[in-house]
Amino acid sequence: MMKTWWKEAVIYQIYPRSFMDSNGDGIGDLKGITSKLDYLKYLGIDVIWLSPVYQSPNDDNGYDISDYQSIMDEFGTMEDFNEMLKEAHERGIRIVMDLVVNHTSDEHKWFMESRKSKENAYRDYYIWREGKEDGMPPNNWGACFGGSAWEYDEESEMYYLHMFSKKQPDLNWENPKVRQEVFDMMTWWCDKGIDGFRMDVISMISKTKEMPDGEVNGLYGNPGPYCVNGPKVHDYLQEMNEKVLSKYDIMTVGETPGVTTDLAKQYAGEDTHELNMVFQFEHVENDGKYGKWTDEKVSLVNLKKIMSRWQVELYGKAWNSLFWDNHDQPRAVSRFGDDRPQYRDVSAKMLATCLHMMQGSPYIYQGEELGMTNYPFRKMEDFRDIESIHAYEEWCKGGLVSHELFWPCLVGKSRDNARTPVQWDDTENAGFTIGTPWIGVNPNYKEINAKAETADMGSVFHYYKKLIALRKQNPVIVYGKYELLLEDSEDLFVYTRALDEEKLLVVCSFSDKEVTFRIPDEFIGSGCIISNRENTYEGEMVELKPYEAFVLHKK
Ligand code: GLC
Ligand code: CA
């Protein structure tokens, strides 16, 4: 297996709007990020994935870009960006940019031109279709944020496709001019010295020519089979690789909804010349009752099956990202752990152990290293996220499901859970801003905050710091071969990693009860390199306390 820096790296995701506000307008910004680089350096991460900071009308918080080569006014200026990049590099931290090129904002100059007329030079930059004879949209596809995926444009009396909001028209990748514009823009950023790209919904850039109705779930049809992993996506990525990526020593990660392990071997194969790694969602998709909305917990047996399949099938062939949460997912400790006060700390550490000992590049989402939790939403006005707001409109107000049934699903899965401000200290607004924050601060910031945790050697923060350091010291964590043990256990996630003579045993309890575990013979007497409880692991039997996790290292 090829050894590379990005396989050995730990990545930290910043959602700038909620990270740190430097000027009191209640919105996080670039200067705020620069002011916290020492904190990140102390944590030990190698790479920052920066969610979009480009000019945007913020229909979807920056994932709707109106100018790829300038910085969002609320976040600062290009000088602030250059300063942040320089300061990061001086600390040995790389910066990976979010590349959102499945769609632009409808306020991007390409789209403003495109919608002017059928003859406009930019018309073919987007996907336009005639409506049906009765004037209805070309097909029944629903957009990810609710409503039809087609928006009627009065001016030219045609519909344009938008997989997300109507302010996010999809680019037409069939058009070589569009591809060249994107490649030129990427080159411009690379020449500026950035260290890579996280590519937003990159598995969706190629659509089938035929656009038939999709299978109905709720009010609309599912465009997935015609828009995800489409016929030319690999051609486009190989072209991008040849024209841009291969020329720089950068890291590339594709956000690839709908990817299978087989497809991942193509997207992120060791020698397929597309991307370095995929970011896939199988383990966080317990598609439930109402589209993505559900209040069901994933079963541990199922979770193990999915995660292990990715570990085994990609081994030596392709590379995966490791994550429990990001800006689109609820908080890890609330979802997969246990955020009740007596278990929050220990279950957050257990989850971290379980993930960071696997093969792949681990991603820490801002605040995860503090064990930040979901937000106690009480009313619709607490939400800011377009997806959550539209979902409530469509499912509840639309009469498909009652408020009582839908509310817990929304509260548990809303993306806003991840978007509340990072809790820096116990002063007002958690030290995030001296103004009014754009979204509510989680009221638990007096107990859960960076100031308290950096001062406490037993905190979740210091546990993450230790896991990161261990990865640097032990190549077996990066390159070792994975094997799952006790696959049917409903309480324990146990696996081994092996590299040459070295072997790790990773034991994680997902239970709030005590569980007995028998240490496999070959590990008896091996040293413990990390544990989230006070316990000894020298004998044959271990009585695991709730959410206990430990790692033994056999040399
Ligand atoms: C990706 C982003 C998400 C965004 C969507 C549309 O899934 O992670 O935040 O809303 O793409 O750009
Ligand atoms: Ca600000």
Side-chain angles (χ1 to χ4, degrees):
M1 189 187 319
M2 185 180 51
K3 294 197 171 177
T4 66
W5 65 264
W6 43 263
K7 285 182 181 167
E8 296 168 16
V10 176
I11 299 127
Y12 186 93
Q13 185 192 351
I14 291 183
Y15 193 70
R17 210 173 183 75
S18 308
F19 190 67
M20 179 65 198
D21 175 24
S22 72
N23 62 352
D25 66 355
I27 297 172
D29 45 52
L30 297 180
K31 279 202 160 84
I33 297 173
T34 307
S35 74
K36 295 295 182 188
L37 289 171
D38 284 333
Y39 167 84
L40 297 177
K41 173 81 187 158
Y42 182 58
L43 178 59
I45 56 101
D46 307 282
V47 176
I48 292 171
W49 150 23
L50 196 61
S51 276
V53 295
Y54 317 93
Q55 200 62 256
S56 161
N58 282 307
D59 190 50
D60 185 20
N61 288 353
Y63 283 91
D64 48 319
I65 298 170
S66 53
D67 184 347
Y68 290 100
Q69 274 148 277
S70 71
I71 299 294
M72 191 192 299
D73 295 333
E74 290 169 327
F75 289 174
T77 62
M78 195 56 86
E79 284 69 53
D80 297 339
F81 180 88
N82 296 340
E83 174 78 7
M84 178 188 69
L85 186 64
K86 182 175 132 266
E87 293 285 328
H89 285 169
E90 276 171 13
R91 288 166 180 78
I93 296 175
R94 293 171 151 106
I95 294 195
V96 162
M97 304 291 285
D98 218 312
L99 182 79
V100 188
V101 289
N102 174 68
H103 45 268
T104 68
S105 164
D106 65 341
E107 297 179 35
H108 193 288
K109 63 173 191 278
W110 300 337
F111 191 74
M112 310 228 280
E113 286 297 319
S114 183
R115 79 188 314 173
K116 278 185 184 161
S117 76
K118 293 181 187 167
E119 292 72 42
N120 190 282
Y122 289 87
R123 184 65 171 183
D124 210 24
Y125 272 43
Y126 295 86
I127 302 170
W128 292 95
R129 291 284 185 281
E130 302 284 351
K132 291 203 171 133
E133 267 166 29
D134 58 1
M136 294 296 278
N139 65 31
N140 73 355
W141 294 357
C144 296
F145 297 158
S148 167
W150 297 97
E151 180 70 10
Y152 185 66
D153 185 63
E154 306 264 327
E155 199 59 43
S156 57
E157 299 180 325
M158 283 176 82
Y159 286 86
Y160 65 84
L161 180 68
H162 61 89
M163 297 301 293
F164 294 88
S165 98
K166 63 180 180 198
K167 286 186 66 64
Q168 294 166 299
D170 280 49
L171 281 166
N172 176 19
W173 275 72
E174 293 271 340
N175 182 348
K177 281 196 210 137
V178 166
R179 302 202 296 276
Q180 199 52 50
E181 297 260 21
V182 170
F183 300 156
D184 290 347
M185 177 270 286
M186 293 172 73
T187 302
W188 184 85
W189 280 103
C190 287
D191 289 342
K192 209 175 192 4
I194 60 128
D195 304 287
F197 297 104
R198 172 269 183 188
M199 303 186 187
D200 194 67
V201 290
I202 203 70
S203 54
M204 291 167 60
I205 57 176
S206 165
K207 279 88 179 169
T208 55
K209 273 229 163 60
E210 300 71 36
M211 296 187 160
D213 283 344
E215 207 179 302
V216 177
N217 173 11
L219 292 177
Y220 295 94
N222 172 20
Y226 316 102
C227 297
V228 180
N229 303 313
K232 296 202 186 138
V233 63
H234 299 294
D235 296 343
Y236 298 154
L237 289 176
Q238 282 160 27
E239 184 184 345
M240 180 194 283
N241 187 296
E242 188 202 314
K243 295 198 170 148
V244 187
L245 308 177
S246 59
K247 304 195 170 139
Y248 302 89
D249 178 24
I250 56 174
M251 179 190 124
T252 55
V253 47
E255 190 206 20
T256 44
V259 71
T260 58
T261 47
D262 275 339
L263 283 169
K265 290 176 208 166
Q266 180 61 39
Y267 280 113
E270 294 258 307
D271 52 13
T272 48
H273 305 288
E274 293 186 21
L275 304 174
N276 294 153
M277 60 183 106
V278 290
F279 197 96
Q280 57 79 27
F281 297 91
E282 228 186 307
H283 63 298
V284 294
E285 255 165 13
N286 49 334
D287 265 343
K289 303 177 177 169
Y290 322 113
K292 77 168 244 186
W293 307 97
T294 180
D295 55 359
E296 276 157 19
K297 275 219 156 192
V298 251
S299 91
L300 182 62
V301 173
N302 214 7
L303 188 69
K304 290 193 289 189
K305 200 179 274 167
I306 294 169
M307 293 179 98
S308 300
R309 179 154 41 75
W310 281 87
Q311 290 289 305
V312 171
E313 292 191 12
L314 264 47
Y315 180 73
K317 303 198 177 85
W319 200 251
N320 195 12
S321 305
L322 303 171
F323 71 98
W324 288 123
D325 54 9
N326 72 3
H327 67 294
D328 295 329
Q329 303 287 332
R331 288 281 174 188
V333 68
S334 300
R335 184 175 187 186
F336 296 103
D338 190 331
D339 62 9
R340 289 176 289 176
Q342 71 272 37
Y343 297 132
R344 184 193 63 87
D345 177 281
V346 76
S347 68
K349 292 171 181 169
M350 180 279 289
L351 290 173
T353 316
C354 186
L355 197 76
H356 282 244
M357 290 295 141
M358 285 189 190
Q359 180 154 84
S361 299
Y363 287 67
I364 300 170
Y365 177 67
Q366 65 183 36
E368 181 190 326
E369 79 281 14
L370 305 172
M372 276 178 62
T373 65
N374 276 357
Y375 184 84
F377 296 101
R378 275 188 305 268
K379 46 188 192 322
M380 268 325 283
E381 293 73 55
D382 292 341
F383 291 100
R384 296 286 176 277
D385 174 28
I386 181 172
E387 183 191 49
S388 304
I389 294 167
H390 285 180
Y392 188 78
E393 290 280 322
E394 199 162 306
W395 291 92
C396 281
K397 293 206 179 149
L400 292 172
V401 46
S402 70
H403 171 87
E404 285 64 37
L405 288 176
F406 194 66
W407 187 254
C409 304
L410 182 65
V411 164
K413 279 203 88 182
S414 172
R415 309 195 294 181
D416 277 340
N417 283 302
R419 300 177 180 187
T420 65
V422 171
Q423 295 162 211
W424 294 106
D425 58 37
D426 62 1
T427 64
E428 211 184 340
N429 294 321
F432 163 72
T433 180
I434 51 165
T436 308
W438 71 278
I439 186 172
V441 175
N442 197 310
N444 62 20
Y445 71 90
K446 300 238 175 208
E447 294 81 56
I448 306 171
N449 65 66
K451 185 163 178 230
E453 294 201 27
T454 46
D456 170 8
M457 291 306 288
S459 65
V460 177
F461 176 90
H462 278 282
Y463 197 88
Y464 269 89
K465 186 167 157 58
K466 184 163 182 191
L467 284 170
I468 297 168
L470 282 171
R471 173 169 286 260
K472 303 265 157 343
Q473 294 148 12
N474 298 284
V476 60
I477 299 176
V478 181
Y479 297 107
K481 187 168 187 178
Y482 172 99
E483 191 188 343
L484 181 69
L485 307 181
L486 305 183
E487 57 180 303
D488 297 323
S489 167
E490 283 166 18
D491 298 317
L492 302 181
F493 198 146
V494 183
Y495 59 87
T496 58
R497 301 287 307 282
L499 183 70
D500 305 325
E501 299 305 301
E502 269 184 84
K503 221 168 166 187
L504 296 177
L505 173 72
V506 183
V507 181
C508 298
S509 171
F510 278 68
S511 172
D512 61 359
K513 317 251 169 352
E514 296 206 345
V515 182
T516 309
F517 174 70
R518 188 182 170 282
I519 295 186
D521 289 344
E522 58 169 332
F523 286 99
I524 294 178
S526 298
C528 173
I529 55 171
I530 193 163
S531 157
N532 67 349
R533 292 274 194 187
E534 276 181 34
N535 203 346
T536 53
Y537 308 100
E538 276 142 29
E540 204 185 308
M541 305 305 286
V542 191
E543 289 299 330
L544 295 168
K545 300 196 188 73
Y547 303 107
E548 183 157 347
F550 66 93
V551 181
L552 300 185
H553 188 186
K554 184 185 121 187
K555 284 189 219 182

